[in-house]
Amino acid sequence: MWRASLLMMVGCGRIAFDARDLQDAAGDGSGGTCALDHDEDNDGIDDACDVCPHRPDALQADADGDRVGDACDPRPGLPDRIAFFDPFTQLDPAWRVFGAMTSYNGEQMVVDARLENLYMKHDLVVGSDAVEIAATIDSAVAGVRQITVGVDADPAGTYYCELYDSGATQFQLTASVDDMAYVGLDATTSVPLTAGSFRLGLVTDSVTATCSTTFPAARLEITGMLPAMAPTNGGFNVRGLAVRIDYYVHIRSN
């Protein structure tokens, strides 16, 4: 069975985030606020100022004050930050892109990976990380269909969350220490991977990992123990599908 040896997500397509006061949007101490340039979640707050740019949160609730809002904080009470957010309005230079052609419609990245796989990855510093993509499937080929998000290590090793369909769809956490033998650490059966809009995410502390998805509708979650490795890349993979990618977000613990 073919597996993607490449994964993950931490991308800052257009905007880099840090823990500065969101009221100082320019980051220069001037106290200036953000003009509305791009608002991925349509909550009236520009992505660059939004404590959850991918979750509607007009009130900007942030109980632990770490600038990762309650609506998207993977570790409430711990210091996190949005390290990279890409709304895919254009290709961000942080990405290394392999395989299928991509284009942009102003709000999404359009990918046709029905005949050639797409791999996208960015540099990652090992730590406690959460990565997530949101996508819509427009069409699919017969045979193997797959979408993943995760991390990998150089020269070998990877773990990722995936939706994998080769006749029966599995939502699973998958790992390999050599990029040759792949092990499903936890899995559950889903519906055929042929259509739908969904989120797919990974939260990890490099010891355990939790995968979550909203495919096909209700939220699913699985958890497993990870093999020892030090990831150096984050990103995602698409195979056998034509999709539109809404965003990619990487949240890491300080």
Side-chain angles (χ1 to χ4, degrees):
M1 180 182 295
W2 183 92
R3 291 289 192 214
S5 63
L6 190 213
L7 289 301
M8 287 31 270
M9 31 199 35
V10 153
C12 189
R14 196 175 60 88
I15 301 164
F17 290 76
D18 58 32
R20 71 178 183 267
D21 186 343
L22 293 180
Q23 294 306 309
D24 179 18
D28 58 6
S30 66
T33 58
C34 281
L36 192 61
D37 177 32
H38 187 268
D39 181 12
E40 177 68 29
D41 56 10
N42 296 311
D43 62 3
I45 300 167
D46 187 84
D47 293 342
C49 291
D50 200 331
V51 295
C52 286
H54 56 304
R55 296 280 195 280
D57 58 335
L59 296 180
Q60 297 289 278
D62 181 16
D64 59 10
D66 62 359
R67 301 307 185 194
V68 179
D70 297 347
C72 64
D73 196 334
R75 291 168 285 262
L78 298 177
D80 293 311
R81 62 187 175 91
I82 298 175
F84 184 69
F85 178 69
D86 190 351
F88 291 115
T89 58
Q90 60 187 11
L91 178 62
D92 188 278
W95 289 110
R96 300 189 299 282
V97 184
F98 308 89
M101 296 293 293
T102 62
S103 61
Y104 297 82
N105 62 18
E107 290 293 332
Q108 300 162 308
M109 181 173 68
V110 181
V111 178
D112 188 350
R114 290 174 295 181
L115 298 179
E116 183 178 14
N117 304 342
L118 172 72
Y119 306 93
M120 292 184 66
K121 63 179 180 178
H122 61 87
D123 292 339
L124 180 76
V125 178
V126 64
S128 297
D129 297 280
V131 292
E132 181 181 281
I133 58 172
T136 297
I137 299 172
D138 292 321
S139 62
V141 298
V144 174
R145 301 176 290 272
Q146 180 188 37
I147 187 164
T148 73
V149 63
V151 297
D152 67 19
D154 292 324
T158 184
Y159 53 86
Y160 52 91
C161 302
E162 67 174 330
L163 291 162
Y164 184 89
D165 184 355
S166 60
T169 303
Q170 295 290 315
F171 166 50
Q172 60 188 30
L173 170 61
T174 301
S176 173
V177 296
D178 58 9
D179 294 345
M180 297 178 65
Y182 291 82
V183 177
L185 304 178
D186 195 6
T188 186
T189 303
S190 187
V191 302
L193 191 62
T194 55
S197 297
F198 59 92
R199 299 191 299 266
L200 178 65
L202 166 77
V203 178
T204 176
D205 60 6
S206 298
V207 177
T208 63
T210 297
C211 298
S212 63
T213 188
T214 57
F215 183 86
R219 178 183 170 90
L220 299 174
E221 191 171 284
I222 53 178
T223 299
M225 299 292 294
L226 297 173
M229 68 179 71
T232 54
N233 306 291
F236 60 94
N237 164 59
V238 183
R239 182 187 187 193
L241 300 167
V243 301
R244 286 169 286 132
I245 309 290
D246 295 306
Y247 65 78
Y248 173 93
V249 62
H250 170 220
I251 300 172
R252 79 173 284 108
S253 179
N254 287 329

